[in-house]
Each structure stands twice: as C-alpha cells, then as structure tokens.
Amino acid sequence: MGVRHHFKRSFYYEVENAIKNSSVTFLLGARRCGKTVCMKQLYDCYVSSYDFDNVVYVDVKKEYRDKYEKMKLIHRVIDSINNGEKILYLIDEVTYLHYPDKEIMKVQDAFTSGENNNTRLVFAGSQSRALEYWGHLAFAGDAAYVRADFLSYPEWLAYKGITEVSDKTYSSFLHGTREFYRNFRSTKEYLQGCLDETVISNNKSGEFIRGNDCSRINNDILLDVLYVSLITLHNHVNYQSFSNRDTLMDDVIYHFANTCGQVCEESVKERAAELLRGRYQNFKRMSGEELLQSLQFLNNCGLVTVTHVTDDFECSPYYSQKLLSDFGEKPSKQEIMKNLNVCIKYPMFYVDIVQELLGKDVVDKIPNSLLGSIVECHVRGLLPDTGCFEYHDANDREIDYVNTSYQKAVEISVSNKKMTQTHFDVLPDNYRKILLSKDMEGMREDVELIPYYQFIFDCSVGKEFF
C-alpha cells in the first residue's frame, strides 16, 4: 500500500475509541471519502493485537453476489454474539446486504437477548442517511456513530509533513487533494455513483426513508444545480438575472470568464461561456420540484451546505432538512433561490468544476476572486449548520454567517477588509464578531481579525495532529 493508505485520518481514532466502548459502531460518510481505507487499517491493527481472538473484514459489495451468502454472513455474526465470541467484525458496504435494515435489526435482537461484551461490529457504508436511519431504528442510543469526511486542511498538512499554516500551504491543499484521492475521476462520475447507491438503499429498505428520494433527477441535473450554486455565489446574482438570456450572457458568463482573464486564453473563455450557457439553459427548464429534490440529494450526500437567507434575528433555528422541506409540494425556483444560499462544501469538488470550465492549469494560479468563493464555501461547510442564517436586508447589507444559538457572526474574506466594508453594526449586543482576512489578526474595536487559512485550520478535524 502507498503512503496515503498508511496515513490514519482523524476519524480512524474515533472509530478505534468507539470499538472499545460500544458493541456496535456505524461509520458514516460521503462516498469515497476514505471509509474503506479506515476499515482496512483497523483490520491490520487488530489482527496483530491481542484485543480479539479473531478479526473479520468483509466488503459486501465486492465479495458477496449471492443473497444467501449475505444472509449466511449475518447468521455467522449472530452466532458469534450468542456464543460470546471475542471477535471483531468489520462489515463494509453494508447497504449491499440483501435486506440491510432487517439484518441490522437481527443483530440488535441478538445483543438484546444475551449478555455479550466480547463481540464487536463496525458497519460502514456511503449511504449515510439510510444507514443512520436503520441504526437508530434498531439500536436507538445504544450504538456509536462516527462521521468520516473528505481530507481536511490540517490532515493534508500532517500527511505531507508540513507544519506551516499559511495562504501558501492552503493553496497547496486546494490543488493537491486530488493527489490523495487518486480514484476520483470527475464530479459527474462521482454523482452518478451516489445516485446508483441511493437507488439501491431505497429499494432495499423495508420502510420509506424520508427525504432520500431521487426519482426526478440524474447526474446532469445535479451538475446543473452545482454550477448554479457556484456562479450565484461568485457573482452574487439572483434568479431573475440568470433566468434572462441577455442578462445571463452579460452578467454571468463573460463576467466569470473575464475574472480569470489573466490565466485564460480567449478560446478557453469562449469554451467556458458555451458550457455555462448550456448549464443555465438546462436550469431554466428545470422544475421547482427537480431543484428541491436535487438540493435534498446533494445535502444528504454531504456535498453542499444550505443556509437560510433572512434579516430576522428571531428566526427559527433551521437545520438543512427542515429548511428544504418547508417549501411545500409545489416549490417555486424563484423562492428557493431567493431564500437559500447553497455552497459546494468541499474544495475538491469546487476546484474540479473550475477545472472543467477553465482548464487544468488554472488550479495552480487561482485568481483572488475565485479563491474568495472557494474559502466562503469551505468555511460555511465547517461551521455549525443549526441555528444559523445569512443576513441580507432590504438595504443590501450582508453578513455571511450569523448563528443565533452561539451568538456568533462571521464575515468571510480573503482580503484585508476595512471595518467600513462590514455590517457588524446591525448585530444585537453581545455577539462575537469575526472578520476573516488575508493576513490581519488581533482585535480591532470589538471585532476579531483572523487570517482565513488559520480560521479554517482551527475549525477543522485533524488539528490534533499538531
């Protein structure tokens, strides 16, 4: 195995701790973020230790094509539980079991009927929404849940043996993450895999998994939505702007390409314009139901963050699923785009879309305006998504992130903004105010100044490696 397979991620240690303290652990996380590598690392660790008499690693998807073989596997697990065997089962791709929800329930019944403190199980799978639903249905609070994620900035530094936290090393993280995920081909291919696995998990579930429907969408529709989220964030345009062909051409397509003019030849700008034109024409034909289901799907997969846009500090503490379900049965695209800020959560996917637009060389020389959009998406994905909103009032005053639960507000920037360029004055008293910057730090009046790369480092898992 290569170096990256020997590098243990932050969630590896969480699973290791969960195995010590819980009979059953669910390892949840986005597709291809590193769960299988973690499971194999756990096998290598425990198979050479004295913690268990036996360790069994199984990849259900690859190793079991026959439903009876899958059922035998669970019968073997249940026999081990009933016999009090000191054994660790690492069951990967559990959603490919014949009846995963029923098999998980059988495991719970076996533990309930006896006094077994020896057998341990780790269930892993990419369909986090389905797997977590089945886990809570069977075990309620009697199981551990560990969430895996894509490689973080601190983890990247630790993986590369770098100790410097700076704009330079953050840039290396942005264009080097693909080195770590060598099996990542494209966002479109990735989305198709997510769709395929969601269909499988829905079909195999005995009960309806609320909010997990994908009947109206395909990977092209999902890509259209990701492009919309990227361009609306970058250019701060509203639905009316990009639903009009002339405005679209003037304010979105060429503006985006010209922003990157210093790194793009004219032919590249034309190609990017043509690609964006096609994406936005697709979006114009999309129904409100398709848009909403796409956002629910992308949110379930952990690929986007969805934030309420309002000027009401007394608003309910929304969380993503409630936010997306409040539009009713006949949602309007205009209302959805007006009331939600949608951000691509992981820089790797944002950079992949930019590469498709402007060419592979762009990543090494990302213009500051694009860097600002990437950082805004990254920061929003790291901050708590409950009790938060984006402040935007009728006078066009904005604050990127306000959290009423923690009484904290964050303005996200990669430049050194002046205080007059912020709108912290609209906040109620006693709010903690944070302004991200290029390199300013310390306190100015009652505002904390933090370089954006330091803030990202401090908010990310993996900083415990330093």
Side-chain angles (χ1 to χ4, degrees), residues 210-223:
R210 188 174 180 82
N212 213 40
D213 188 17
C214 57
S215 57
R216 298 175 181 270
I217 55 180
N218 56 44
N219 60 358
D220 264 318
I221 289 176
L222 293 171
L223 268 178

Side-chain angles (χ1 to χ4, degrees), residues 323-383:
L323 195 59
L324 291 168
S325 64
D326 276 357
F327 284 98
E329 294 183 1
K330 292 289 182 182
S332 155
K333 282 194 295 186
Q334 291 92 328
E335 283 302 303
I336 293 171
M337 299 304 294
K338 175 184 175 183
N339 289 290
L340 300 181
N341 182 305
V342 180
C343 285
I344 300 171
K345 186 173 181 179
Y346 302 107
M348 182 172 72
F349 292 95
Y350 194 120
V351 170
D352 182 64
I353 290 176
V354 171
Q355 284 182 333
E356 184 183 4
L357 271 172
L358 304 174
K360 296 188 180 300
D361 293 338
V362 173
V363 191
D364 293 320
K365 29 192 172 179
I366 295 174
N368 211 51
S369 56
L370 271 184
L371 177 63
S373 298
I374 294 171
V375 168
E376 180 170 346
C377 288
H378 196 176
V379 169
R380 287 179 185 273
L382 293 171
L383 291 169

